[in-house]
Amino acid sequence: MRVLRAGLCIALLGICSRDVSGATPARVFIAGDSTASTYGPERAPRTGWGQVLQTFLDPAAYEVRNHAQSGRSSRSFIEQGWLDGIDAELRAGDVLLIQFGHNDEKIEDSARYTEPREAFARWLLRYVTLARERGATPILVTPVARRVFDHGQLLDTHGVYGDAVRALARREKVALIDLQARSMDWLRALGDAASKPFYMHVPAQQQADDTHFQRHGAVAVACFVVDEWKRLDPHLAPHVVRDTDCGARATARADRDAQRAPSAIEHERDIAIEQPGPHGGAGITTAHPFFRDSGLPFALRKRVLHAGAGIGLHQHDKDEVYYIVSGRGLYILDGALHDVGAGDALLTRPGSTHAIRQVGDEDLVILLAYPHPATRPEAPTAR
């Protein structure tokens, strides 16, 4: 049976880390709208972030129960009885994620609209109160951003609704995941055009929807949720089964503008150099010295050994990695012969000798990586 770990409650927020070594996982309930809800294959590629949240959590420790419903506001979710399903199951040790706002904003719909400054907070407080009465942990989540750009600038379409969630969290000392802020930073970093494939911009279905997500977008948003949850409760981290290094900082554009040298793309067709086999090797090779003038501390090079070509024997004063992309070769390392082919990686350390030659009918294609000459120690003097 799971028991509370003494002393692990996060101050003021009511978040308690728990011993999840027992057989019964804690449950993560989601109360929310269509941005979080689960969709069947007939709605593909539309996906809610709650639908993919389990992919981030060890199911032995946390079981996601996604109760989010399309088209609901904080008010209509309760009035239509959807909170009753959570009420019937919620127990001590569970977590309740609460994300509303999109439909609360619809002033033209009297069944869903909630006035933002007072009524919206009152409805949200009912979810918080239920969780606390059951001994569960409530976590308020600001509404995820819509993808609305105007002349390249991302617009805040939630306005006072996001502010209302933050104010309620402060006033009631409830844990807060500011998903609106995280998703807006992400969208600004992506920009208008590059962000479309994450949302339901699906020409084949004649959809251009800036609210709902394709799977790539839903997974990104779920990553933000889990990453922020880990910040609230660091003891969650051992039960997160994939990395949550996702999104971008609020300063992403300024960081880009402050780069000493810009990021870049190079096409091998533009940098190909035909050369004899290096280090006294036979035949003809083609070298592709990627980012040669970028000031990197390492060199990255593609070398194609054409029929009969080779890299001659030479002794190393640096670490060097060969990765065989395609073809076959005979590799000589410290006097031993090795047959190598696609998928093999070869590491040569300082002091070793090596050589390689192409065999068979197919070009031998190698990716090489090694410290840039300006950053590695000088080679020992030959005697």
Side-chain angles (χ1 to χ4, degrees):
M1 195 70 178
R2 183 178 294 102
V3 295
L4 287 175
R5 285 182 180 173
L8 293 183
C9 289
I10 305 296
L12 300 180
L13 295 179
I15 295 182
C16 295
S17 299
R18 306 185 185 274
D19 183 352
V20 293
S21 59
T24 305
R27 282 92 54 84
V28 182
F29 290 84
I30 303 172
D33 55 33
S34 57
T35 61
S37 57
T38 297
Y39 299 93
E42 73 282 357
R43 302 294 301 275
R46 184 160 160 170
T47 309
W49 65 259
Q51 184 174 349
V52 295
L53 189 68
Q54 186 70 72
T55 66
F56 285 86
L57 301 172
D58 180 356
Y62 290 94
E63 174 191 341
V64 175
R65 299 198 175 188
N66 188 13
H67 286 251
Q69 296 293 321
S70 296
R72 272 60 181 190
S73 66
S74 62
R75 170 188 168 188
S76 64
F77 191 91
I78 292 175
E79 290 184 335
Q80 295 175 11
W82 294 106
L83 186 58
D84 295 342
I86 296 175
D87 187 4
E89 298 184 65
L90 199 63
R91 67 188 181 207
D94 292 339
V95 174
L96 177 58
L97 300 174
I98 308 154
Q99 184 217 247
F100 291 100
H102 285 82
N103 298 302
D104 294 82
E105 300 164 11
K106 296 182 176 180
I107 193 169
E108 72 282 0
D109 187 341
S110 60
R112 293 186 287 181
Y113 175 70
T114 59
E115 180 277 322
R117 299 191 183 278
E118 295 184 10
F120 184 42
R122 286 200 304 269
W123 286 105
L124 290 176
L125 187 57
R126 291 181 61 172
Y127 299 81
V128 172
T129 301
L130 171 64
R132 287 175 165 172
E133 288 175 348
R134 295 289 184 275
T137 298
I139 301 179
L140 289 167
V141 184
T142 54
V144 64
R146 293 186 182 93
R147 200 204 72 85
V148 180
F149 285 86
D150 182 20
H151 294 90
Q153 298 299 312
L154 181 66
L155 302 183
D156 176 3
T157 67
H158 295 306
V160 292
Y161 284 86
D163 293 338
V165 180
R166 297 179 191 101
L168 177 64
R170 288 192 299 269
R171 185 172 69 249
E172 299 295 328
K173 297 181 174 57
V174 183
L176 174 72
I177 291 174
D178 199 342
L179 184 57
Q180 181 187 10
R182 281 293 298 262
S183 54
M184 289 186 74
D185 291 341
W186 168 65
L187 284 168
R188 289 190 189 98
L190 282 168
D192 191 352
S195 60
K196 286 183 179 180
F198 292 89
Y199 283 72
M200 280 295 290
H201 281 252
V202 187
Q205 298 180 3
Q206 297 183 325
Q207 292 199 55
D209 177 348
D210 291 314
T211 297
H212 302 99
F213 305 105
Q214 298 189 53
R215 187 173 181 86
H216 289 295
V219 172
V221 174
C223 185
F224 305 152
V225 170
V226 175
D227 191 45
E228 292 299 316
W229 184 5
K230 283 166 57 179
R231 296 174 196 273
L232 294 170
D233 181 8
H235 296 88
L236 175 69
H239 311 296
V240 175
V241 296
R242 54 186 294 183
D243 81 90
T244 58
D245 179 15
C246 48
R249 294 187 293 272
T251 58
R253 286 192 173 185
D255 295 341
R256 178 197 62 196
D257 293 341
Q259 289 174 331
R260 288 179 296 177
S263 300
I265 297 172
E266 283 190 345
H267 302 286
E268 64 175 35
R269 63 179 178 269
D270 298 330
I271 58 172
I273 304 170
E274 189 173 278
Q275 296 176 331
H279 300 290
I284 298 299
T285 73
T286 303
H288 305 88
F290 293 108
F291 310 117
R292 178 170 52 184
D293 300 319
S294 298
L296 295 172
F298 61 90
L300 176 66
R301 180 175 294 235
K302 175 181 174 182
R303 188 173 291 277
V304 180
L305 307 185
H306 304 295
I311 298 174
L313 183 74
H314 57 289
Q315 188 164 5
H316 271 247
D317 55 65
K318 63 184 184 297
D319 288 323
E320 184 174 56
V321 173
Y322 286 4
Y323 176 77
I324 311 299
V325 177
S326 61
R328 295 173 47 237
L330 182 64
Y331 182 59
I332 304 169
L333 176 64
D334 292 332
L337 296 173
H338 304 271
D339 291 315
V340 295
D344 292 335
L346 322 173
L347 171 63
T348 307
R349 311 308 299 258
S352 286
T353 59
H354 81 179
I356 193 168
R357 66 181 178 87
Q358 179 269 350
V359 297
D361 298 327
E362 184 181 357
D363 286 345
L364 176 61
V365 181
I366 305 171
L367 279 180
L368 303 86
Y370 51 88
H372 192 278
T375 64
R376 67 175 191 254
E378 291 186 9
T381 303
R383 297 176 183 234

